[in-house]
Amino acid sequence: MFRRLSRQGVGLSARYAKGKTSTRIFVRGLQIQASIGVHPHEHEQTQPVIIDIELDMGDMALPEEDRLHETLDYGLVADRAEAIALQAHVQLVETLAERIADWALSADPRVNRVAVSIAKPQALLKADAAGVEVVKSR
């Protein structure tokens, strides 16, 4: 059986029974060379970071005309995340993730929630990557 969850007082099963949808737009694995980190050697050269972004668009209407202007362009999301990452040296991945999340929430009023993960694959010798995920909501 399904566990009944609610969002704004309406059960999810009831929402979907009425034909409503939930939309998430995402960018995964965006690889950027960024100036980031607190250690002296991290100020001397860029290093790879991997960014994942998920935008919860809630019950945004799906495109009726099959046109890009009816949705939020994930190409724009990727471009803005890269531009934010390249603006200037950032000490902490948390700071960069928050800047990207803040942009996403301000860029489109349909974004209800955003999750931004940033991984530094060269941060730890014995790990594939280290990083952070920041989640913000309206």
Side-chain angles (χ1 to χ4, degrees):
M1 254 324 145
F2 293 106
R3 196 172 101 203
R4 189 170 174 90
L5 300 173
S6 67
R7 178 178 172 211
Q8 298 176 342
V10 178
L12 287 181
S13 58
R15 283 180 68 221
Y16 295 110
K18 294 178 185 175
K20 294 191 177 191
T21 60
S22 177
T23 302
R24 289 193 178 117
I25 294 172
F26 63 88
V27 174
R28 292 191 187 123
L30 181 63
Q31 297 182 28
I32 298 170
Q33 287 293 125
S35 180
I36 189 166
V38 297
H39 302 291
H41 70 275
E42 293 176 307
H43 289 261
E44 296 170 9
Q45 60 185 15
T46 61
Q47 62 181 301
V49 294
I50 301 169
I51 302 173
D52 295 331
I53 306 162
E54 183 174 295
L55 307 170
D56 180 349
M57 306 301 285
D59 57 1
M60 173 184 83
L62 294 174
E64 292 181 13
E65 299 174 16
D66 196 30
R67 300 286 182 232
L68 187 57
H69 72 272
E70 297 177 279
T71 189
L72 180 55
D73 180 2
Y74 49 75
L76 171 67
V77 174
D79 289 347
R80 288 301 300 146
E82 182 172 12
I84 292 166
L86 298 178
Q87 279 177 347
H89 183 87
V90 176
Q91 302 267 32
L92 303 173
V93 290
E94 291 86 348
T95 302
L96 179 55
E98 182 178 29
R99 288 177 183 174
I100 294 169
D102 287 345
W103 169 81
L105 287 171
S106 69
D108 192 311
R110 298 172 295 179
V111 177
N112 295 323
R113 178 182 164 277
V114 58
V116 179
S117 299
I118 300 185
K120 291 171 59 177
Q122 298 175 352
L124 299 172
L125 222 47
K126 296 182 180 182
D128 290 337
V132 67
E133 179 178 46
V134 169
V135 179
K136 288 186 133 187
S137 301
R138 289 204 183 278

